[in-house]
Structure formats: C-alpha cells, structure tokens
Amino acid sequence: MKDSDGILALLQDIKEMLFGIALLLTGIALCLVGAAVNGWLGILLAVVGFIVVVAGLGYVHHGYTHHEVVEKQD
C-alpha cells in the first residue's frame, strides 16, 4: 500500500496544477473581456478576473511544490 501513496500524491499535484492553469486562462480571459467592455461591468470583470488569476497562481504553486516522491532502495 505504501508504493501507491507516492503515485496518489503525484496525481493530486497534477490535478491541482491543471485546475490552476484552467483558472489562469479563465482569469486572463475575464481581464481581456473587462478591458474591452466600457463602464462598471468592464471594471467588475477585470477585478474578478484578477482575483481568479491570483487563485490560479496559488493552485499552480501549491501543486508544483506540495509533494515530493522519493524512491527507497531496499
């Protein structure tokens, strides 16, 4: 059972990185749409997009640095 713990941790890290990348792309798209739209709606979209980008960066960073898989020699 111990051998699969490293694989599960690696898959969790990959999942967090992919979710973070999806959030980054969504946030960038919201910022671009917010820049194109005039008025309060554009400002709101840009602010929400910035918050989503920051959350995506957090997920990517957490997935990249969270676990370390070490192979033991018996």
Side-chain angles (χ1 to χ4, degrees), residues 1 5 9-10 13 20 24 28 33 37 40 45 47 49 51-54 59 66 74:
M1 192 66 168
D5 289 344
L10 185 61
D13 291 342
L24 282 172
I28 290 171
V33 169
V37 174
W40 63 271
L45 285 173
V47 169
I51 293 170
V52 172
V53 165
V54 170
Y59 273 101
H66 186 61
D74 293 331

Side-chain angles (χ1 to χ4, degrees), residues 47-66:
V47 169
V48 170
F50 180 74
I51 293 170
V52 172
V53 165
V54 170
L57 286 173
Y59 273 101
V60 169
H61 184 292
H62 188 261
Y64 184 73
T65 60
H66 186 61

Side-chain angles (χ1 to χ4, degrees), residues 3-69:
D3 294 336
S4 66
D5 289 344
I7 294 171
L8 291 176
L10 185 61
L11 288 174
Q12 179 68 26
D13 291 342
I14 291 170
K15 183 183 86 166
E16 286 189 12
M17 287 180 67
L18 288 175
F19 184 65
I21 290 170
L23 284 176
L24 282 172
L25 292 175
T26 303
I28 290 171
L30 284 173
C31 286
L32 290 175
V33 169
V37 174
N38 291 330
W40 63 271
L41 183 61
I43 294 171
L44 179 67
L45 285 173
V47 169
V48 170
F50 180 74
I51 293 170
V52 172
V53 165
V54 170
L57 286 173
Y59 273 101
V60 169
H61 184 292
H62 188 261
Y64 184 73
T65 60
H66 186 61
H67 292 98
E68 180 178 320
V69 177

